[in-house]
Amino acid sequence: MEPAHTPIGLLLARAAKTASRAFDDALAAEGGSIPVWLVLLALMRGGHRMQSELADEVGIQGPTLTHHLNGMENAGLLLRQRAPDNRRIHRIELTDTGRAMFHRLRGVAMAYDARLRSGFTEAELDMLRNLLERLAAKQAS
Amino acid sequence: MEPAHTPIGLLLARAAKTASRAFDDALAAEGGSIPVWLVLLALMRGGHRMQSELADEVGIQGPTLTHHLNGMENAGLLLRQRAPDNRRIHRIELTDTGRAMFHRLRGVAMAYDARLRSGFTEAELDMLRNLLERLAAKQAS
DNA sequence: TCATATTCCTTTGACATCGAATGATTAGAT
DNA sequence: ATCTAATCATTCGATGTCAAAGGAATATGA
């Protein structure tokens, strides 16, 4: 008789779904969302030349990024303008409003991360990080 | 100087996204999808009296389940009819086509699970399962 | 009995996401 | 020079998801 464990992929999907949901709700209370937070985080880190790089860093496709940038631009969080030296590229600049939103959402993210880590030892978290990274790396093949 | 690890939630979301994507692609090659597979799996396990129970088991909300049941009924995978004793409830029955689809998708799912587990020891998989279950349970609070 | 509440499901409207097609701009080849 | 490729972003169409509102059927309470 085999153990017939729940498939690891199903556990992974469930844990990620419940966690994302809780995080998104927390961000929504400050007027944000997960993709908005990830875009702000990537922009504050800087070093992007193209939107495609930004999309990669956030983990979404180009059209999805365009969608969020539209919303964020309408909300006054950022400005888009074509780069003078290569007019195919759109330069993105955060406004003061955008930076303020970043700081508010960072507070939410830090609190959420602390909450997520509570109840686990550092050794367990290191192990979890290692296992998740290996899982993600496997898919790339 | 702190380690400044990547937040655990971000690693979780990335691993789940890449894994789900790969699994969904594999299912699509057989004409399926993740929600269709989960609905078929739940129906084959049986024991549902109401659609809301089915939605819970699949991990989606009622309207989303209705959406997929519509598609699956149109595709000839199942039949819906009201229960005679309580006409609020819709009884769902898989057709032969639906059962055939289940068996095909089960092959995909088993192959995918094996692929996901490769490269990990049984001890590591047990550890990962334990950590993911604890993470998911934490959100329920 | 019959008005109201509850249960179960569906419809509606909204948003996130992606692939494919389209525009706009630049680079490259002859 | 100009014609074709390649590059970067957007638009379009489709799917998955949810919350809120809307039916349909049953249960409840005077």
Side-chain angles (χ1 to χ4, degrees), chain B residues 16-126:
Chain B
K17 185 167 189 175
T18 52
S20 293
R21 187 66 192 255
F23 185 34
D24 202 58
D25 287 348
L27 290 171
E30 294 289 342
S33 69
I34 288 177
V36 165
W37 161 241
L38 294 177
V39 168
L40 288 174
L41 183 59
L43 287 173
M44 286 296 280
R45 273 206 283 259
H48 304 285
R49 285 190 313 285
M50 299 181 302
Q51 283 187 198
S52 53
E53 291 176 3
L54 188 55
D56 280 350
E57 186 167 338
V58 173
I60 57 181
Q61 298 304 116
T64 307
L65 178 61
T66 295
H67 170 70
H68 291 297
L69 291 180
N70 287 343
M72 293 172 75
E73 191 170 22
N74 285 340
L77 302 181
L78 52 83
L79 294 172
R80 273 185 291 187
Q81 43 198 344
R82 303 189 100 98
D85 54 324
N86 183 346
R87 295 180 40 74
R88 286 176 295 191
I89 294 177
H90 282 190
R91 278 287 145 66
I92 300 170
E93 234 182 314
L94 283 181
T95 62
D96 288 345
T97 306
R99 275 183 287 273
M101 176 68 89
F102 167 78
H103 289 296
R104 259 187 301 151
L105 296 188
R106 186 171 60 173
V108 173
M110 289 174 66
Y112 179 73
D113 187 49
R115 183 176 183 285
L116 209 54
R117 296 163 58 147
S118 72
F120 292 93
T121 67
E122 272 308 315
E124 283 175 331
L125 291 172
D126 285 343

Side-chain angles (χ1 to χ4, degrees), chain A:
Chain A
M1 199 61 178
E2 304 201 357
H5 282 305
T6 303
I8 203 73
L10 192 49
L11 291 176
L12 181 62
R14 279 183 190 153
K17 187 170 187 173
T18 53
S20 294
R21 189 66 191 252
F23 186 34
D24 202 59
D25 287 349
L27 290 170
E30 294 289 341
S33 70
I34 288 176
V36 165
W37 160 242
L38 294 177
V39 168
L40 288 174
L41 184 60
L43 287 174
M44 287 294 282
R45 273 206 284 259
H48 304 284
R49 287 191 313 286
M50 299 180 302
Q51 284 188 196
S52 54
E53 291 176 3
L54 188 56
D56 280 351
E57 187 167 338
V58 173
I60 56 181
Q61 298 306 115
T64 307
L65 179 60
T66 294
H67 170 70
H68 290 298
L69 291 180
N70 288 343
M72 293 172 75
E73 191 170 21
N74 286 339
L77 302 181
L78 52 84
L79 294 172
R80 273 185 290 187
Q81 43 197 345
R82 303 191 100 97
D85 54 322
N86 184 345
R87 295 180 41 74
R88 285 174 295 190
I89 295 177
H90 281 189
R91 280 287 146 67
I92 300 170
E93 234 182 315
L94 283 182
T95 61
D96 288 344
T97 306
R99 275 183 288 271
M101 176 68 89
F102 167 78
H103 290 297
R104 258 187 301 152
L105 297 188
R106 186 171 61 173
V108 174
M110 289 175 65
Y112 179 73
D113 187 48
R115 182 176 184 287
L116 209 54
R117 297 163 57 148
S118 72
F120 293 93
T121 67
E122 273 307 318
E124 283 174 331
L125 290 171
D126 285 342
M127 171 69 82
L128 182 53
R129 268 187 278 267
N130 174 271
L131 292 169
L132 289 175
E133 278 166 1
R134 283 162 62 196
L135 262 184
K138 180 189 300 284
Q139 310 298 329
S141 64

